[in-house]
Amino acid sequence: MSDSRAKGPTVTGEHFIPFRKRSVIALCADELPEADRKPFLAFTEILASLLHHRFRARIEELKDAYHAFDPDVDERTSEPVTTAERAEAKRKLVEGLATLAEDANFTLVSEEEFSKAVSDHSLLKVRMEVDHDAIDDVLIYRRGATNRTARVPHWFGLRRKTVEFVSYDKVMIYVAFPEDIGEDEREELPFEPGSVMIKLFQDVPRRDLEMLLPNVRVRMRLIDKLLIGVPAVVSGIVVVVTKLIASLGVLFLLLAFWLGLRDQPVDLDQAALISLGAGLAAFGGYLWRQFSKFKNRKIKFMKILSENLYFRNLDNDTGVFHRILDAAEESKVKEAVLAYHLLRLSNSPLTADELRERADRWLERRSGVRVRFDVEDGLGTLRRLKLLTEHDGNTVSVVPLADAKRRIDHIWDNVFSYNDELAELAHVSRR
């Protein structure tokens, strides 16, 4: 596959805002009068600092839960981890990772979606096979979906054609391996039994999701088997007819004499021995060439798979926590800032649906991408910071900018006194 390029975003209905936090803040500030810009930027700076403070605490929770399963751990615990503690740690890890992924606007890939991806034709031109019995649990999260095009080989590589496919911008995968497995399966596992693998990838074609699984095996397609098998049979017949048929006649006569099917002995002179040796050498060379072709083609397929994984891999294990946590923190800030900005510009209080519609139009006008603004998350953060004013008819407005700035400035100056109140800021607002 080559010449892959973005054609345009798909309409996925995802909550992910395709702007950096600083870009959203700058775009909002540009819409304000000159006198309001500096106070607004100060307000957003403290808001981002508060959320950063609370989100950092979640890293320790995830690291503690993951420590019992980390395949690369080089630190010891004070006491051995019991079976019950491992089960509880796995539960906390799965729940914490799911919440963090949701906060970062990732979507869980359902079994139906994954099965459809596996059944579709692969863009890598290889057949991939996964041993699901060697995996205890799999969770796949994806964010962002883009329509792309690629030039792929066609007609045995003689031509190329353009294909369209959906590519996921980010994919996070969680794989847990079973505790009790057989010796044969143990040798093929990339990690120790009972361990957990977490990886983050980028630009993954939906059709090739299965290549991310750690125990994927490359298998030849029917067309690849025919490309090797048909020429091998034809060339084998040629070798037998031209090189081996004379030698085979002598061998058959010897075999018949040894089995008692022939009374007359076979005379083996020097010419017959040379002919026999040359025929066997030619046949042996033929078999070695076919074996080498098979191995080289399999190595080529493994190289294709390895290269695709290498260039798409972003992070592994605990490094994934930091990346997803940073993405979740940015999402929270963007949603809260945009919700506050649009409510403040409104001439009257808005319902949640009205705010969502305005935010959707605001984002589409500036990015060209249709995004479903996560209004519950944005309002939830403002509500916990007490920056919202509730009205009749399920409408809300925000406190004036000067009051909002004083409010969060006071919280920041007394952050440790507000820890219990702020704890929920770093967790998903949907209930």
Side-chain angles (χ1 to χ4, degrees):
M1 182 175 65
S2 63
D3 192 28
S4 177
R5 59 187 185 277
K7 183 179 181 182
T10 57
V11 181
T12 60
E14 294 184 347
H15 294 305
F16 174 61
I17 298 176
F19 286 116
R20 294 179 63 229
K21 173 183 64 180
R22 288 186 177 275
S23 299
V24 172
I25 293 173
L27 288 170
C28 292
D30 289 342
E31 297 180 344
L32 300 177
E34 185 67 31
D36 284 353
R37 290 180 184 176
K38 189 173 181 180
F40 178 78
L41 293 176
F43 163 76
T44 59
E45 183 69 22
I46 302 175
L47 175 63
S49 298
L50 282 174
L51 290 170
H52 177 78
H53 170 71
R54 290 311 310 168
F55 265 96
R56 291 301 128 186
R58 294 178 67 179
I59 272 289
E60 297 304 320
E61 297 174 7
L62 284 171
K63 287 166 62 177
D64 288 343
Y66 187 57
H67 184 80
F69 311 99
D70 192 348
D72 298 321
V73 67
D74 56 359
E75 299 167 338
R76 298 181 180 180
T77 55
S78 56
E79 297 179 358
V81 180
T82 64
T83 302
E85 289 173 337
R86 283 177 64 86
E88 178 64 14
K90 182 176 287 189
R91 184 190 66 79
K92 290 182 178 179
L93 176 62
V94 172
E95 290 182 358
L97 199 61
T99 303
L100 192 63
E102 187 178 3
D103 283 349
N105 300 131
F106 278 74
T107 302
L108 179 65
V109 176
S110 64
E111 292 186 9
E112 180 182 357
E113 184 178 358
F114 181 75
S115 299
K116 185 178 184 303
V118 172
S119 63
D120 283 346
H121 182 62
S122 172
L123 289 176
L124 296 182
K125 298 301 180 184
V126 296
R127 184 170 67 88
M128 289 173 278
E129 184 179 282
V130 178
D131 183 9
H132 293 281
D133 294 335
I135 295 178
D136 191 38
D137 192 19
V138 176
L139 295 174
I140 301 176
Y141 293 87
R142 47 97 175 167
R143 188 183 75 181
T146 305
N147 279 329
R148 294 183 182 272
T149 60
R151 299 279 292 171
V152 299
H154 188 51
W155 283 103
F156 310 106
L158 299 176
R159 299 181 59 187
R160 288 182 174 272
K161 67 176 181 179
T162 300
V163 296
E164 295 185 2
F165 63 97
V166 175
S167 176
Y168 294 138
D169 299 339
K170 296 288 187 297
V171 176
M172 181 181 67
I173 182 169
Y174 161 95
V175 179
F177 298 103
E179 299 277 354
D180 300 323
I181 59 174
E183 290 297 329
D184 294 338
E185 293 177 331
R186 184 186 297 266
E187 294 178 357
E188 296 181 2
L189 278 182
F191 295 115
E192 290 295 320
S195 62
V196 169
M197 183 201 77
I198 302 173
K199 289 181 177 290
L200 182 66
F201 298 90
Q202 65 178 347
D203 299 331
V204 179
R206 182 170 61 186
R207 300 178 183 180
D208 293 321
L209 270 179
E210 72 269 29
M211 77 175 177
L212 305 182
L213 296 176
N215 64 337
V216 64
R217 298 186 181 95
V218 176
R219 295 288 185 262
M220 286 193 181
R221 301 168 298 164
L222 177 60
I223 184 64
D224 298 309
K225 293 178 180 179
L226 292 176
L227 287 175
I228 293 178
V230 173
V233 171
V234 174
S235 59
I237 294 174
V238 173
V239 169
V240 170
V241 171
T242 60
K243 302 290 186 181
L244 200 59
I245 192 166
S247 303
L248 287 177
V250 177
L251 289 177
F252 287 146
L253 292 176
L254 283 174
L255 183 61
F257 178 74
W258 288 337
L259 294 177
L261 301 177
R262 175 185 171 88
D263 297 331
Q264 185 178 359
V266 180
D267 295 329
L268 290 177
D269 54 14
Q270 186 177 8
L273 290 175
I274 292 175
S275 176
L276 180 61
L280 292 176
F283 189 68
Y286 160 77
L287 292 178
W288 176 254
R289 286 194 302 271
Q290 299 310 313
F291 177 75
S292 298
K293 287 181 181 179
F294 172 80
K295 295 293 290 185
N296 290 337
R297 197 166 186 85
K298 189 172 182 180
I299 290 173
K300 177 184 176 182
F301 291 160
M302 291 298 296
K303 182 174 179 290
I304 292 173
L305 180 61
S306 299
E307 286 179 348
N308 276 272
L309 289 176
Y310 176 82
F311 288 108
R312 288 184 168 90
N313 184 240
L314 287 177
D315 227 321
N316 306 293
D317 303 320
T318 53
V320 177
F321 299 156
H322 291 275
R323 279 186 178 267
I324 301 298
L325 189 88
D326 184 68
E329 180 185 320
E330 287 238 343
S331 294
K332 284 279 189 178
V333 175
K334 289 185 290 186
E335 291 158 355
V337 167
L338 186 55
Y340 181 85
H341 173 69
L342 294 178
L343 284 171
R344 183 168 176 265
L345 292 184
S346 176
N347 295 324
S348 60
L350 301 175
T351 65
D353 289 338
E354 290 171 339
L355 176 59
R356 180 188 293 110
E357 290 176 4
R358 293 194 181 193
D360 290 350
R361 291 196 301 268
W362 190 94
L363 290 167
E364 185 174 6
R365 187 166 64 250
R366 283 156 181 78
S367 67
V369 178
R370 287 206 277 175
V371 180
R372 290 183 65 249
F373 178 68
D374 194 345
V375 67
E376 290 83 5
D377 223 11
L379 290 178
T381 300
L382 298 178
R383 185 175 287 110
R384 287 182 174 84
L385 289 171
K386 298 181 179 178
L387 301 178
L388 281 182
T389 300
E390 310 280 349
H391 302 277
D392 294 335
N394 295 323
T395 61
V396 293
S397 61
V398 291
V399 300
L401 180 59
D403 294 340
K405 185 175 178 296
R406 281 194 296 269
R407 165 68 180 166
I408 62 173
D409 188 41
H410 175 74
I411 296 175
W412 180 248
D413 291 339
N414 302 274
V415 66
F416 293 106
S417 301
Y418 282 89
N419 267 342
D420 291 340
E421 185 177 342
L422 295 176
E424 284 296 313
L425 284 177
H427 291 78
V428 65
S429 301
R430 307 174 193 86
R431 294 291 184 264

